[in-house]
Amino acid sequence: MAEPILALDDLCKAYGALKVTSHVSLDVRPGEIHAVIGPNGAGKTTLIGQISGSLAPDSGRIRFDGRDVTALPMHARAHAGLLRSFQITEILPAFTARENVALALQAREGHSFRFWRNVSRDADLNARADACLAELGLEARAEVPAGTLSHGEKRALELAIAMACEPKLLLLDEPMAGTGREETDRLVEVLRALKGRYAMLLVEHDMSAVFALADRISVLVYGEIVATGTPEEIRDNPRVREAYLGEEAVA
Amino acid sequence: MSTQSAPARLSRELIGALIVFALFAGLPILADAMGDTFVVFFTIRIMVFAIAAVSLSLILGYGAMVSFGHAAYLGLGAYCVAILAEHGIWDVTVSLPVTLAVCGLFALVTGAISLKTRGVYFIMITLAFGQMAYYTATSLSAYGGDDGLTMWGRTEILGSTALGDRTVFYYVVLGCLLTCYLLARMIVASRFGRVLQGAKQSEMRLRAIGIDPYAYRLIAYVIAGMMAGLAGALLANAAEFVSPAYMSWHRSGELIVMVVLGGLGSLLGAIVGAASFLVLEEVLSHFTEHWRLIFGPFLVLVVLFGRGGLISLLPGGRKNG
Ligand SMILES: Nc1ncnc2c1ncn2[C@@H]1O[C@H](COP(=O)(O)OP(=O)(O)O)[C@@H](O)[C@H]1O
Ligand SMILES: [Mg+2]
């Protein structure tokens, strides 16, 4: 079996007495979609924060793409190909959708200590940004300030920005949160199309999306992984049914 | 940055800039015809402060760095020129590089420290560095200390004393303003400028796509410091006198007011803001000593109701650099 693209080794983090991450070990294999599910407050967002580098774990190690990145700052991890999307949309509201994506492409191309050329007239950059937007059905919204997009469009833009960075591993924190059925279906299709292009760690509450996409699922409860397995194994795991899924959710 | 298409934005902006610079360019001719010299001196002052306001607008309006010590660069630039003159060095080929280097270095060192902080802490620490410069100037007893230092002439250009001519000096200052404005516009529109404006909106977003904003902010801070230093060098020449008052925190506050008054996030706004501020100050102070009592509420009204500042009332429109 190929070496995992991401491997968490005994990760722990506490806020005071509250253990938000408790001895978490999991891995993501190249090309795999590994879903992490769990009730609200289980520590999913905190876990993504530690993997992406916006939060520091108390102990444990994070290996990404063959090296230890535990001490690497967030922007350096992003450069290495470890990208994340945010549960609470984190876009640049005054920039247009195109400018949001173009900035991500620009970041990919190394330093931005370039003062002379007008970036908004960089036809090549704009064309590539528009191509990313088109993948998510946002091509008609390229010139709209991102702050005025609909919620669903913002979620899609969030994904377009991450994809523009050509990730090796994409951490997705509830990409479907708050979107309507139709938008959820479209995002599922987008992610399915991306499957295999890069690995993903998917945190999601929408169970139909999770079971449609995931190769493996880990269940997080009170900061602890209580089960990891294929969707079938997780569906049939009595502990998981009891702790989280509920009978009707998988019926 | 707005819902208008790019060409519409460009032409609106062009119109605004053309009007402003045409007014500046035509003014000495008009003043000569009316035999009024005060207006020319006064407009030189406006243009000098407009350069300082443009430089502050670059970091405040586009980078959300609320520097409360920006007048330090004005003073520093002025003192560089005056102190060199005191030692018999008058030529621009020496004084300009020295001014830019000193201001750039001061910005690099203080910026590197200040930019480790955010929000109110950044305001406080830039204020502290500004005051440090102020008190250092007051203690320079060899150069007049509290009383300041008189320059017995103006900067020379390769030995020529052409700047002594009022009209020549006026157009040199205008040229400096135009250069700084165009330079700032170019920076804002560049890849660098996009990072700066992105970091203002969400630092987390920038880190998430692989950009650490610190170095970008620092470079912008240094550019702004050098630009304000140039304004200081021109101010020393305009007044043929320098004093620690140039660096006082009141002055820094006034620069912020100019930028906000003109319209945050607009470089042309900074120029309009500087002009409006100085004209209002001049006019109001003729009527009453307590002009600040009128000016304060006026400012509050502009900030509350004219969200885009004065620039949003001009044909140049708002938010277009
Ligand atoms: N900065 C913080 N300080 C204290 N507690 C926090 C902080 N961030 C998150 N928590 C707590 O940690 C727990 C896990 O939060 P989170 O990772 O957001 O859960 P999830 O994403 O699974 O819903 C929650 O109980 C939350 O209240
Ligand atoms: Mg969460």
mmCIF file with all atom_site columns, all heavy atoms in Angstrom, chain B residues 64-85:
data_model
loop_
_atom_site.group_PDB
_atom_site.id
_atom_site.type_symbol
_atom_site.label_atom_id
_atom_site.label_alt_id
_atom_site.label_comp_id
_atom_site.label_asym_id
_atom_site.label_entity_id
_atom_site.label_seq_id
_atom_site.pdbx_PDB_ins_code
_atom_site.Cartn_x
_atom_site.Cartn_y
_atom_site.Cartn_z
_atom_site.occupancy
_atom_site.B_iso_or_equiv
_atom_site.pdbx_formal_charge
_atom_site.auth_seq_id
_atom_site.auth_comp_id
_atom_site.auth_asym_id
_atom_site.auth_atom_id
_atom_site.pdbx_PDB_model_num
ATOM 1   N N   . ALA B 1 64 ? -4.984 48.802 6.005  1.00 0.00 ? 64 ALA B N   1
ATOM 2   C CA  . ALA B 1 64 ? -5.586 48.887 7.341  1.00 0.00 ? 64 ALA B CA  1
ATOM 3   C C   . ALA B 1 64 ? -4.542 49.022 8.442  1.00 0.00 ? 64 ALA B C   1
ATOM 4   O O   . ALA B 1 64 ? -4.731 48.571 9.550  1.00 0.00 ? 64 ALA B O   1
ATOM 5   C CB  . ALA B 1 64 ? -6.490 47.678 7.615  1.00 0.00 ? 64 ALA B CB  1
ATOM 6   N N   . MET B 1 65 ? -3.400 49.655 8.122  1.00 0.00 ? 65 MET B N   1
ATOM 7   C CA  . MET B 1 65 ? -2.396 49.920 9.151  1.00 0.00 ? 65 MET B CA  1
ATOM 8   C C   . MET B 1 65 ? -2.598 51.348 9.647  1.00 0.00 ? 65 MET B C   1
ATOM 9   O O   . MET B 1 65 ? -2.211 52.307 8.983  1.00 0.00 ? 65 MET B O   1
ATOM 10  C CB  . MET B 1 65 ? -0.988 49.758 8.570  1.00 0.00 ? 65 MET B CB  1
ATOM 11  C CG  . MET B 1 65 ? -0.630 48.330 8.207  1.00 0.00 ? 65 MET B CG  1
ATOM 12  S SD  . MET B 1 65 ? 0.949  48.270 7.318  1.00 0.00 ? 65 MET B SD  1
ATOM 13  C CE  . MET B 1 65 ? 0.390  47.920 5.658  1.00 0.00 ? 65 MET B CE  1
ATOM 14  N N   . VAL B 1 66 ? -3.229 51.489 10.811 1.00 0.00 ? 66 VAL B N   1
ATOM 15  C CA  . VAL B 1 66 ? -3.533 52.816 11.337 1.00 0.00 ? 66 VAL B CA  1
ATOM 16  C C   . VAL B 1 66 ? -2.299 53.340 12.062 1.00 0.00 ? 66 VAL B C   1
ATOM 17  O O   . VAL B 1 66 ? -2.149 53.173 13.265 1.00 0.00 ? 66 VAL B O   1
ATOM 18  C CB  . VAL B 1 66 ? -4.750 52.789 12.276 1.00 0.00 ? 66 VAL B CB  1
ATOM 19  C CG1 . VAL B 1 66 ? -5.133 54.195 12.680 1.00 0.00 ? 66 VAL B CG1 1
ATOM 20  C CG2 . VAL B 1 66 ? -5.923 52.089 11.617 1.00 0.00 ? 66 VAL B CG2 1
ATOM 21  N N   . SER B 1 67 ? -1.405 53.952 11.295 1.00 0.00 ? 67 SER B N   1
ATOM 22  C CA  . SER B 1 67 ? -0.180 54.496 11.884 1.00 0.00 ? 67 SER B CA  1
ATOM 23  C C   . SER B 1 67 ? -0.479 55.851 12.508 1.00 0.00 ? 67 SER B C   1
ATOM 24  O O   . SER B 1 67 ? -0.919 56.777 11.833 1.00 0.00 ? 67 SER B O   1
ATOM 25  C CB  . SER B 1 67 ? 0.897  54.638 10.811 1.00 0.00 ? 67 SER B CB  1
ATOM 26  O OG  . SER B 1 67 ? 1.958  55.408 11.327 1.00 0.00 ? 67 SER B OG  1
ATOM 27  N N   . PHE B 1 68 ? -0.222 55.949 13.807 1.00 0.00 ? 68 PHE B N   1
ATOM 28  C CA  . PHE B 1 68 ? -0.435 57.220 14.511 1.00 0.00 ? 68 PHE B CA  1
ATOM 29  C C   . PHE B 1 68 ? 0.910  57.918 14.716 1.00 0.00 ? 68 PHE B C   1
ATOM 30  O O   . PHE B 1 68 ? 1.046  58.759 15.601 1.00 0.00 ? 68 PHE B O   1
ATOM 31  C CB  . PHE B 1 68 ? -1.126 56.987 15.863 1.00 0.00 ? 68 PHE B CB  1
ATOM 32  C CG  . PHE B 1 68 ? -2.075 58.087 16.243 1.00 0.00 ? 68 PHE B CG  1
ATOM 33  C CD1 . PHE B 1 68 ? -3.389 57.802 16.560 1.00 0.00 ? 68 PHE B CD1 1
ATOM 34  C CD2 . PHE B 1 68 ? -1.666 59.413 16.286 1.00 0.00 ? 68 PHE B CD2 1
ATOM 35  C CE1 . PHE B 1 68 ? -4.282 58.812 16.912 1.00 0.00 ? 68 PHE B CE1 1
ATOM 36  C CE2 . PHE B 1 68 ? -2.530 60.426 16.628 1.00 0.00 ? 68 PHE B CE2 1
ATOM 37  C CZ  . PHE B 1 68 ? -3.844 60.120 16.937 1.00 0.00 ? 68 PHE B CZ  1
ATOM 38  N N   . GLY B 1 69 ? 1.881  57.557 13.906 1.00 0.00 ? 69 GLY B N   1
ATOM 39  C CA  . GLY B 1 69 ? 3.180  58.199 14.029 1.00 0.00 ? 69 GLY B CA  1
ATOM 40  C C   . GLY B 1 69 ? 3.728  58.609 12.681 1.00 0.00 ? 69 GLY B C   1
ATOM 41  O O   . GLY B 1 69 ? 4.933  58.744 12.497 1.00 0.00 ? 69 GLY B O   1
ATOM 42  N N   . HIS B 1 70 ? 2.826  58.827 11.744 1.00 0.00 ? 70 HIS B N   1
ATOM 43  C CA  . HIS B 1 70 ? 3.295  59.055 10.384 1.00 0.00 ? 70 HIS B CA  1
ATOM 44  C C   . HIS B 1 70 ? 3.983  60.396 10.226 1.00 0.00 ? 70 HIS B C   1
ATOM 45  O O   . HIS B 1 70 ? 4.835  60.562 9.347  1.00 0.00 ? 70 HIS B O   1
ATOM 46  C CB  . HIS B 1 70 ? 2.125  58.929 9.396  1.00 0.00 ? 70 HIS B CB  1
ATOM 47  C CG  . HIS B 1 70 ? 2.548  58.500 8.034  1.00 0.00 ? 70 HIS B CG  1
ATOM 48  N ND1 . HIS B 1 70 ? 3.228  57.332 7.803  1.00 0.00 ? 70 HIS B ND1 1
ATOM 49  C CD2 . HIS B 1 70 ? 2.423  59.104 6.818  1.00 0.00 ? 70 HIS B CD2 1
ATOM 50  C CE1 . HIS B 1 70 ? 3.492  57.225 6.503  1.00 0.00 ? 70 HIS B CE1 1
ATOM 51  N NE2 . HIS B 1 70 ? 3.014  58.282 5.902  1.00 0.00 ? 70 HIS B NE2 1
ATOM 52  N N   . ALA B 1 71 ? 3.637  61.364 11.081 1.00 0.00 ? 71 ALA B N   1
ATOM 53  C CA  . ALA B 1 71 ? 4.285  62.673 10.987 1.00 0.00 ? 71 ALA B CA  1
ATOM 54  C C   . ALA B 1 71 ? 5.778  62.579 11.295 1.00 0.00 ? 71 ALA B C   1
ATOM 55  O O   . ALA B 1 71 ? 6.550  63.459 10.905 1.00 0.00 ? 71 ALA B O   1
ATOM 56  C CB  . ALA B 1 71 ? 3.609  63.666 11.934 1.00 0.00 ? 71 ALA B CB  1
ATOM 57  N N   . ALA B 1 72 ? 6.192  61.519 11.968 1.00 0.00 ? 72 ALA B N   1
ATOM 58  C CA  . ALA B 1 72 ? 7.612  61.355 12.273 1.00 0.00 ? 72 ALA B CA  1
ATOM 59  C C   . ALA B 1 72 ? 8.437  61.375 10.989 1.00 0.00 ? 72 ALA B C   1
ATOM 60  O O   . ALA B 1 72 ? 9.541  61.923 10.965 1.00 0.00 ? 72 ALA B O   1
ATOM 61  C CB  . ALA B 1 72 ? 7.844  60.047 13.024 1.00 0.00 ? 72 ALA B CB  1
ATOM 62  N N   . TYR B 1 73 ? 7.874  60.792 9.914  1.00 0.00 ? 73 TYR B N   1
ATOM 63  C CA  . TYR B 1 73 ? 8.615  60.732 8.648  1.00 0.00 ? 73 TYR B CA  1
ATOM 64  C C   . TYR B 1 73 ? 8.680  62.096 7.990  1.00 0.00 ? 73 TYR B C   1
ATOM 65  O O   . TYR B 1 73 ? 9.675  62.453 7.357  1.00 0.00 ? 73 TYR B O   1
ATOM 66  C CB  . TYR B 1 73 ? 7.971  59.695 7.721  1.00 0.00 ? 73 TYR B CB  1
ATOM 67  C CG  . TYR B 1 73 ? 8.021  58.334 8.355  1.00 0.00 ? 73 TYR B CG  1
ATOM 68  C CD1 . TYR B 1 73 ? 6.934  57.857 9.087  1.00 0.00 ? 73 TYR B CD1 1
ATOM 69  C CD2 . TYR B 1 73 ? 9.163  57.571 8.293  1.00 0.00 ? 73 TYR B CD2 1
ATOM 70  C CE1 . TYR B 1 73 ? 6.996  56.629 9.719  1.00 0.00 ? 73 TYR B CE1 1
ATOM 71  C CE2 . TYR B 1 73 ? 9.241  56.349 8.926  1.00 0.00 ? 73 TYR B CE2 1
ATOM 72  C CZ  . TYR B 1 73 ? 8.149  55.877 9.636  1.00 0.00 ? 73 TYR B CZ  1
ATOM 73  O OH  . TYR B 1 73 ? 8.221  54.676 10.275 1.00 0.00 ? 73 TYR B OH  1
ATOM 74  N N   . LEU B 1 74 ? 7.600  62.862 8.166  1.00 0.00 ? 74 LEU B N   1
ATOM 75  C CA  . LEU B 1 74 ? 7.581  64.240 7.690  1.00 0.00 ? 74 LEU B CA  1
ATOM 76  C C   . LEU B 1 74 ? 8.731  65.009 8.354  1.00 0.00 ? 74 LEU B C   1
ATOM 77  O O   . LEU B 1 74 ? 9.530  65.682 7.699  1.00 0.00 ? 74 LEU B O   1
ATOM 78  C CB  . LEU B 1 74 ? 6.226  64.855 8.086  1.00 0.00 ? 74 LEU B CB  1
ATOM 79  C CG  . LEU B 1 74 ? 5.587  65.941 7.251  1.00 0.00 ? 74 LEU B CG  1
ATOM 80  C CD1 . LEU B 1 74 ? 5.441  65.522 5.810  1.00 0.00 ? 74 LEU B CD1 1
ATOM 81  C CD2 . LEU B 1 74 ? 4.216  66.279 7.833  1.00 0.00 ? 74 LEU B CD2 1
ATOM 82  N N   . GLY B 1 75 ? 8.812  64.888 9.683  1.00 0.00 ? 75 GLY B N   1
ATOM 83  C CA  . GLY B 1 75 ? 9.849  65.588 10.440 1.00 0.00 ? 75 GLY B CA  1
ATOM 84  C C   . GLY B 1 75 ? 11.238 65.068 10.115 1.00 0.00 ? 75 GLY B C   1
ATOM 85  O O   . GLY B 1 75 ? 12.183 65.839 9.934  1.00 0.00 ? 75 GLY B O   1
ATOM 86  N N   . LEU B 1 76 ? 11.331 63.754 10.031 1.00 0.00 ? 76 LEU B N   1
ATOM 87  C CA  . LEU B 1 76 ? 12.622 63.124 9.759  1.00 0.00 ? 76 LEU B CA  1
ATOM 88  C C   . LEU B 1 76 ? 13.176 63.600 8.413  1.00 0.00 ? 76 LEU B C   1
ATOM 89  O O   . LEU B 1 76 ? 14.360 63.954 8.298  1.00 0.00 ? 76 LEU B O   1
ATOM 90  C CB  . LEU B 1 76 ? 12.427 61.610 9.742  1.00 0.00 ? 76 LEU B CB  1
ATOM 91  C CG  . LEU B 1 76 ? 13.517 60.717 10.314 1.00 0.00 ? 76 LEU B CG  1
ATOM 92  C CD1 . LEU B 1 76 ? 13.896 61.149 11.712 1.00 0.00 ? 76 LEU B CD1 1
ATOM 93  C CD2 . LEU B 1 76 ? 13.051 59.260 10.305 1.00 0.00 ? 76 LEU B CD2 1
ATOM 94  N N   . GLY B 1 77 ? 12.305 63.609 7.400  1.00 0.00 ? 77 GLY B N   1
ATOM 95  C CA  . GLY B 1 77 ? 12.709 64.071 6.068  1.00 0.00 ? 77 GLY B CA  1
ATOM 96  C C   . GLY B 1 77 ? 13.148 65.529 6.120  1.00 0.00 ? 77 GLY B C   1
ATOM 97  O O   . GLY B 1 77 ? 14.167 65.907 5.529  1.00 0.00 ? 77 GLY B O   1
ATOM 98  N N   . ALA B 1 78 ? 12.379 66.338 6.851  1.00 0.00 ? 78 ALA B N   1
ATOM 99  C CA  . ALA B 1 78 ? 12.695 67.756 6.958  1.00 0.00 ? 78 ALA B CA  1
ATOM 100 C C   . ALA B 1 78 ? 14.049 67.964 7.651  1.00 0.00 ? 78 ALA B C   1
ATOM 101 O O   . ALA B 1 78 ? 14.886 68.746 7.192  1.00 0.00 ? 78 ALA B O   1
ATOM 102 C CB  . ALA B 1 78 ? 11.583 68.479 7.724  1.00 0.00 ? 78 ALA B CB  1
ATOM 103 N N   . TYR B 1 79 ? 14.268 67.242 8.737  1.00 0.00 ? 79 TYR B N   1
ATOM 104 C CA  . TYR B 1 79 ? 15.521 67.388 9.482  1.00 0.00 ? 79 TYR B CA  1
ATOM 105 C C   . TYR B 1 79 ? 16.727 66.917 8.683  1.00 0.00 ? 79 TYR B C   1
ATOM 106 O O   . TYR B 1 79 ? 17.812 67.496 8.786  1.00 0.00 ? 79 TYR B O   1
ATOM 107 C CB  . TYR B 1 79 ? 15.451 66.658 10.826 1.00 0.00 ? 79 TYR B CB  1
ATOM 108 C CG  . TYR B 1 79 ? 14.984 67.566 11.951 1.00 0.00 ? 79 TYR B CG  1
ATOM 109 C CD1 . TYR B 1 79 ? 13.651 67.632 12.316 1.00 0.00 ? 79 TYR B CD1 1
ATOM 110 C CD2 . TYR B 1 79 ? 15.898 68.380 12.611 1.00 0.00 ? 79 TYR B CD2 1
ATOM 111 C CE1 . TYR B 1 79 ? 13.224 68.478 13.318 1.00 0.00 ? 79 TYR B CE1 1
ATOM 112 C CE2 . TYR B 1 79 ? 15.482 69.241 13.621 1.00 0.00 ? 79 TYR B CE2 1
ATOM 113 C CZ  . TYR B 1 79 ? 14.140 69.280 13.970 1.00 0.00 ? 79 TYR B CZ  1
ATOM 114 O OH  . TYR B 1 79 ? 13.732 70.131 14.956 1.00 0.00 ? 79 TYR B OH  1
ATOM 115 N N   . CYS B 1 80 ? 16.535 65.857 7.883  1.00 0.00 ? 80 CYS B N   1
ATOM 116 C CA  . CYS B 1 80 ? 17.650 65.375 7.052  1.00 0.00 ? 80 CYS B CA  1
ATOM 117 C C   . CYS B 1 80 ? 18.166 66.506 6.170  1.00 0.00 ? 80 CYS B C   1
ATOM 118 O O   . CYS B 1 80 ? 19.369 66.790 6.124  1.00 0.00 ? 80 CYS B O   1
ATOM 119 C CB  . CYS B 1 80 ? 17.197 64.217 6.164  1.00 0.00 ? 80 CYS B CB  1
ATOM 120 S SG  . CYS B 1 80 ? 17.083 62.654 7.024  1.00 0.00 ? 80 CYS B SG  1
ATOM 121 N N   . VAL B 1 81 ? 17.227 67.161 5.484  1.00 0.00 ? 81 VAL B N   1
ATOM 122 C CA  . VAL B 1 81 ? 17.596 68.236 4.562  1.00 0.00 ? 81 VAL B CA  1
ATOM 123 C C   . VAL B 1 81 ? 18.215 69.411 5.317  1.00 0.00 ? 81 VAL B C   1
ATOM 124 O O   . VAL B 1 81 ? 19.266 69.947 4.922  1.00 0.00 ? 81 VAL B O   1
ATOM 125 C CB  . VAL B 1 81 ? 16.348 68.701 3.775  1.00 0.00 ? 81 VAL B CB  1
ATOM 126 C CG1 . VAL B 1 81 ? 16.650 69.964 2.981  1.00 0.00 ? 81 VAL B CG1 1
ATOM 127 C CG2 . VAL B 1 81 ? 15.878 67.597 2.844  1.00 0.00 ? 81 VAL B CG2 1
ATOM 128 N N   . ALA B 1 82 ? 17.577 69.793 6.419  1.00 0.00 ? 82 ALA B N   1
ATOM 129 C CA  . ALA B 1 82 ? 18.038 70.971 7.157  1.00 0.00 ? 82 ALA B CA  1
ATOM 130 C C   . ALA B 1 82 ? 19.394 70.736 7.822  1.00 0.00 ? 82 ALA B C   1
ATOM 131 O O   . ALA B 1 82 ? 20.249 71.626 7.839  1.00 0.00 ? 82 ALA B O   1
ATOM 132 C CB  . ALA B 1 82 ? 16.993 71.368 8.199  1.00 0.00 ? 82 ALA B CB  1
ATOM 133 N N   . ILE B 1 83 ? 19.595 69.544 8.367  1.00 0.00 ? 83 ILE B N   1
ATOM 134 C CA  . ILE B 1 83 ? 20.860 69.258 9.043  1.00 0.00 ? 83 ILE B CA  1
ATOM 135 C C   . ILE B 1 83 ? 21.998 69.188 8.022  1.00 0.00 ? 83 ILE B C   1
ATOM 136 O O   . ILE B 1 83 ? 23.087 69.728 8.248  1.00 0.00 ? 83 ILE B O   1
ATOM 137 C CB  . ILE B 1 83 ? 20.762 67.955 9.873  1.00 0.00 ? 83 ILE B CB  1
ATOM 138 C CG1 . ILE B 1 83 ? 19.872 68.196 11.096 1.00 0.00 ? 83 ILE B CG1 1
ATOM 139 C CG2 . ILE B 1 83 ? 22.151 67.489 10.307 1.00 0.00 ? 83 ILE B CG2 1
ATOM 140 C CD1 . ILE B 1 83 ? 19.592 66.970 11.922 1.00 0.00 ? 83 ILE B CD1 1
ATOM 141 N N   . LEU B 1 84 ? 21.719 68.554 6.884  1.00 0.00 ? 84 LEU B N   1
ATOM 142 C CA  . LEU B 1 84 ? 22.735 68.522 5.828  1.00 0.00 ? 84 LEU B CA  1
ATOM 143 C C   . LEU B 1 84 ? 23.080 69.954 5.402  1.00 0.00 ? 84 LEU B C   1
ATOM 144 O O   . LEU B 1 84 ? 24.248 70.291 5.222  1.00 0.00 ? 84 LEU B O   1
ATOM 145 C CB  . LEU B 1 84 ? 22.234 67.712 4.631  1.00 0.00 ? 84 LEU B CB  1
ATOM 146 C CG  . LEU B 1 84 ? 22.257 66.193 4.788  1.00 0.00 ? 84 LEU B CG  1
ATOM 147 C CD1 . LEU B 1 84 ? 21.636 65.518 3.576  1.00 0.00 ? 84 LEU B CD1 1
ATOM 148 C CD2 . LEU B 1 84 ? 23.688 65.686 4.997  1.00 0.00 ? 84 LEU B CD2 1
ATOM 149 N N   . ALA B 1 85 ? 22.048 70.796 5.254  1.00 0.00 ? 85 ALA B N   1
ATOM 150 C CA  . ALA B 1 85 ? 22.267 72.188 4.850  1.00 0.00 ? 85 ALA B CA  1
ATOM 151 C C   . ALA B 1 85 ? 23.119 72.914 5.896  1.00 0.00 ? 85 ALA B C   1
ATOM 152 O O   . ALA B 1 85 ? 24.021 73.693 5.562  1.00 0.00 ? 85 ALA B O   1
ATOM 153 C CB  . ALA B 1 85 ? 20.928 72.896 4.660  1.00 0.00 ? 85 ALA B CB  1
#
